[in-house]
């Protein structure tokens, strides 16, 4: 036992130290979050700029009845509206649009008062959001005008005012809206982290096995260490490196949170940050993330180790790892699909399938979309699957690492597993 | 201690249609130094890989220290494979420490011992360098240190000296002999006949996947009488061509004559007397390993490029 521990430990340490020391590790630890923050920042910046830069609008009212009110409401909605005298003429306004002085203009005429129809002239389509907003502003204003002739204006205004729907959730798990949103966000973030981490660290295990096999170091190592211990040490070593990297990122995120939030609060006194604490993922969600990461990593990396042991060249490995990658890509696509609103009840059951669990069950668990016993079931099934996969992969690994020459066929693989 | 360090009995291994090793028997007693000799592709490496349980024989049994080559027994072996496998990105000392550790050595002890070995092989200043920064020969020395680091009872070395310059070859040879003096059993493969002759107490010759002969080198030589006569004389050498000797080789002042069925020693002596040449030397040479090999495996086996090259290596 002592010998076994020492050997596994030696392999683990080698794998860990040799990876963590590399420039690649340091670079990726810094570069990946910087890159992701950069992309998010750039996208936000562009979106904000795009929205702010084209809010210059004009309005021409041929009726003289609704123009003021429409302009006021547009102003409320954040547009910069200039009411243009009807005498100016549309040609002049068209010229201003074409010369980018204004983004577009709204034309209200007799038909507007009768049917609510109006024109929006611009170089670019208003898009669904702006289109719907303009439409509701114009229609509401016209409705108000027409109804006020018959009823008291105040009552109509109340009827037309916003916030008519209030949602009350039924069932045992009452969640605040913030909590629900937080669950959704940490679910998505978790899926992306799990997907990337397992793909990336799994590939490391594959490379490590393949390199050792290719340069035949494994023949010397295997004369002292059993293949099972070697494989275990390797997976634990790469896994520890992964945990180190994820840990560094988590610590940085926590630090930014701790320092950044008070700073934000001080600079934006009017912003309400009391909900922010609620929006952070709880200890439970983090523990669950860790559980799915550890189990998922064992599951996939033992498969990646088996792939590495089967192959003799980089090219072979590229092809052979495809089925294993599919086990990660399929649940990822299913998960993205169900986020888009295409959830089917069977997907909850697909999430119980051990190979799909990390990516599909974790977000369901944190958003409270499935009962807790399904989460428990998926964890138990994963533990069983880890054992079974390690057994099969271990046998393939044991035969494969010493095998030179062509890649085995499926039939040969079955024989390896049986006879190893 | 009675059981041999290595025992192969009726071992056969094929790869598809090609038979790499056929019905191979071999026993290496404890404390012996044995050279496994044969041209490239004769089955040396396959045999060694079966001893290390890297390959499983199709038939026959392989034993190390009297039992199946399991992990416990294999960790008593220092194995140097033919391929120079190293962790290229690891530092030299770290790599050696790792190799010692997986064989159950204390980290501190193995570090100290590895450093001593590096100093001894003139690699001390390279200890903190990455292995890939070293030349092929230096890498080979590092690998060799990894093989002897844990003081194995049995050294199995597959072509340990190939690719090294003569100075380093001699250094490694002396270490191998020193290990043997300390009680280790040594098996090494080579295609350099002269080297085996210099180092080995026992040899095993294989050719075309079959064992040709094995045993104590001196006994073999005693048994295998020479058929080469060395002659030194004054005067014209044209009379030699009339003798009917097919192979005459000029070595310095001497002529080496290979005897055959029609020409024996007496015939040469008689001819010399008849010609009236003044003989200065007439010696029946001890057969070289190469000659023995040729005699048993046939000239065609010995004429393979590897052996030809080996003949002129030194």
């Amino acid at each position: 036992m002592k010998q076994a521990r020492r050997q596994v430990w030696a392999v683990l340490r080698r794998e860990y130290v040799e990876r963590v020391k590399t420039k690649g590790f340091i670079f990726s630890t810094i570069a990946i979050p910087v890159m992701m923050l950069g992309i998010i920042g750039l996208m936000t910046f562009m979106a904000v700029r795009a929205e702010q830069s084209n809010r210059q609008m004009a309005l021409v009212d041929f009726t003289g009845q609704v123009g003021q009110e429409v302009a006021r409401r547009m102003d409320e909605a954040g547009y910069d509206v200039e009411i243009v005298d009807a005498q100016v003429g549309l040609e002049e306004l068209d010229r201003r649009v074409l010369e980018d002085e204004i983004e577009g203009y709204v034309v209200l005429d007799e038909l507007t008062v009768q049917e609510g129809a109006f024109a929006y002239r611009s170089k670019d389509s208003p898009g669904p959001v702006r289109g719907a907003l303009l439409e509701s502003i114009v229609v509401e204003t016209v409705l108000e005008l027409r109804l006020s002739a018959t009823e008291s204006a105040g009552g109509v205004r109340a009827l037309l005012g916003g916030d008519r729907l209030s949602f009350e959730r039924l069932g045992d798990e009452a969640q605040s809206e913030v909590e629900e949103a937080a669950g959704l966000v940490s679910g998505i973030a978790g899926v992306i982290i799990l997907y990337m981490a397992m793909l990336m660290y799994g590939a490391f295990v594959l490379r490590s096995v393949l390199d050792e096999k290719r340069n035949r170091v494994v023949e010397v190592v295997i004369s002292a260490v059993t293949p099972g211990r070697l494989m275990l040490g390797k997976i634990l070593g790469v896994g520890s490196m992964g945990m180190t990297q994820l840990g560094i990122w988590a610590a940085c995120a926590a630090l930014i949170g701790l320092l950044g939030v008070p700073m934000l609060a001080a600079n934006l006194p009017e912003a309400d940050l009391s909900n922010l604490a609620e929006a952070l993922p709880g200890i439970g969600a983090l523990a669950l993330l860790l559980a799915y990461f550890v189990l998922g990593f064992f599951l996939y990396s033992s498969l990646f180790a088996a792939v590495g042991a089967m192959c003799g060249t980089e090219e072979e490995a590229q092809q052979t790892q495809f089925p294993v990658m599919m086990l990660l890509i399929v649940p990822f696509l299913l998960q993205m699909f169900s986020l888009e609103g295409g959830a089917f009840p069977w997907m909850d059951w697909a999430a119980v399938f051990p190979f799909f669990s990390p990516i599909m069950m974790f977000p369901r668990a944190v958003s409270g979309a499935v009962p807790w016993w399904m989460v428990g079931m998926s964890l138990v099934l994963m533990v069983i699957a880890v054992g079974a996969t390690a057994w099969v992969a271990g046998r393939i690994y044991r035969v494969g690492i010493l095998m030179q020459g062509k890649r085995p066929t499926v039939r040969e693989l079955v024989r390896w597993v049986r006879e190893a | 201690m009675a059981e041999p360090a290595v025992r192969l009995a009726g071992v056969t291994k094929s790869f598809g249609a090609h038979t790499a090793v056929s019905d191979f028997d071999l026993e290496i007693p404890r404390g012996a130094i044995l050279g496994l000799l044969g041209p490239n592709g004769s089955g040396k490496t396959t045999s060694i890989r079966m001893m290390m349980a890297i390959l499983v024989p199709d038939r026959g049994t392989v034993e190390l220290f009297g039992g199946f080559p399991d992990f416990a027994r294999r960790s008593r072996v220092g194995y140097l494979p033919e391929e120079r496998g190293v962790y290229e990105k690891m530092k030299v000392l770290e790599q050696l420490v790792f190799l010692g550790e997986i064989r159950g050595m204390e980290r501190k002890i193995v570090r100290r011992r590895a450093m001593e070995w590096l100093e001894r092989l003139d690699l001390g200043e390279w200890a903190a360098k990455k292995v890939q920064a070293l030349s092929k020969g230096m890498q080979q020395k590092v690998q060799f240190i990894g093989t002897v680091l844990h003081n194995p009872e049995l050294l199995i070395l597959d072509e340990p000296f190939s690719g090294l310059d003569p100075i380093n070859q001699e250094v490694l040879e002396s270490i191998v002999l020193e290990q043997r003096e300390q009680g280790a059993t040594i098996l090494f493969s080579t295609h350099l006949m002269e080297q085996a002759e210099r180092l080995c107490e026992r040899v095993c010759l294989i050719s075309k996947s079959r064992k040709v002969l094995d045993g104590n080198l001196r006994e073999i030589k005693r048994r295998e009488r020479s058929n080469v006569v060395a002659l030194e004389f004054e005067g014209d050498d044209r009379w030699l061509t009339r003798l009917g000797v097919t192979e005459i080789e000029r070595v310095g002042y001497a002529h080496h004559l290979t005897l055959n069925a029609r020409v024996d020693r007496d015939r040469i002596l008689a001819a010399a007397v008849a010609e009236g040449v003044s003989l200065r030397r007439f010696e029946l040479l001890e057969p070289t390993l190469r000659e023995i090999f040729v005699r048993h495996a046939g000239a065609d086996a010995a004429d393979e490029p590897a052996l030809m090259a080996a003949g002129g290596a030194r």
Side-chain angles (χ1 to χ4, degrees), chain A residues 335-381:
Chain A
Q335 186 53 33
M336 288 295 126
F337 182 64
S338 66
L339 274 181
E340 295 279 314
F344 293 107
W346 61 261
M347 281 193 180
D348 290 349
W349 287 103
V352 177
F353 178 56
F355 286 97
F356 291 2
S357 282
I359 286 172
M360 293 185 74
M361 191 53 93
F362 173 73
R364 281 174 170 71
V366 291
S367 66
V370 289
W372 64 267
W373 61 264
M374 272 179 105
V375 180
M377 188 163 97
S378 86
L379 286 172
V380 170
L381 284 178

Side-chain angles (χ1 to χ4, degrees), chain B residues 227 240-247 258-271:
Chain B
N227 62 346
L240 288 175
T241 56
R242 292 195 293 271
L243 275 172
V245 175
T246 45
E247 276 185 63
T258 305
L259 308 175
N260 57 38
R262 292 184 295 117
V263 187
D264 60 11
R265 281 179 292 173
D266 299 341
R267 174 109 190 255
I268 294 170
L269 261 181

Side-chain angles (χ1 to χ4, degrees), chain A residues 139-166:
Chain A
V139 170
E140 275 178 29
T141 311
V142 171
L143 264 177
E144 209 176 296
L145 174 80
R146 307 253 312 250
L147 286 171
S148 64
T150 56
E151 270 186 69
S152 73
V156 174
R157 207 160 271 156
L159 186 67
L160 291 168
D163 279 338
R164 271 149 306 205
L165 176 99
S166 69

Side-chain angles (χ1 to χ4, degrees), chain A residues 3 6-7 10-11 13-14 18 21 212 215-217 219-227 402 404, chain B residues 49 52 54 71 74-75 79 81 83 85-87 89-91 98-99 101-107:
Chain A
Q3 168 91 343
R6 180 176 284 182
Q7 288 182 335
V11 175
R13 174 165 44 200
R14 194 195 83 79
E18 289 304 308
K21 270 196 323 201
E212 235 171 50
N215 66 18
R216 310 278 185 113
V217 178
E219 290 185 10
V220 175
V221 175
I222 220 71
S223 69
V225 186
T226 63
L402 297 177
Q404 298 293 334
Chain B
R49 287 160 70 94
M52 292 309 290
I54 292 167
F71 286 97
R74 262 143 64 190
S75 57
Y79 168 51
E83 292 87 8
V86 281
Y87 291 111
K89 297 216 157 64
M90 254 181 132
K91 290 185 179 147
F98 173 71
L99 288 175
E101 264 190 310
I102 58 173
R103 283 149 177 157
M105 292 172 77
E106 258 340 308
R107 198 171 165 75

Side-chain angles (χ1 to χ4, degrees), chain A residues 290-303:
Chain A
L290 192 68
Y292 277 115
F293 172 73
V294 170
L295 289 171
F297 175 71
F298 266 104
L299 198 61
Y300 292 107
S301 58
S302 51
L303 287 179

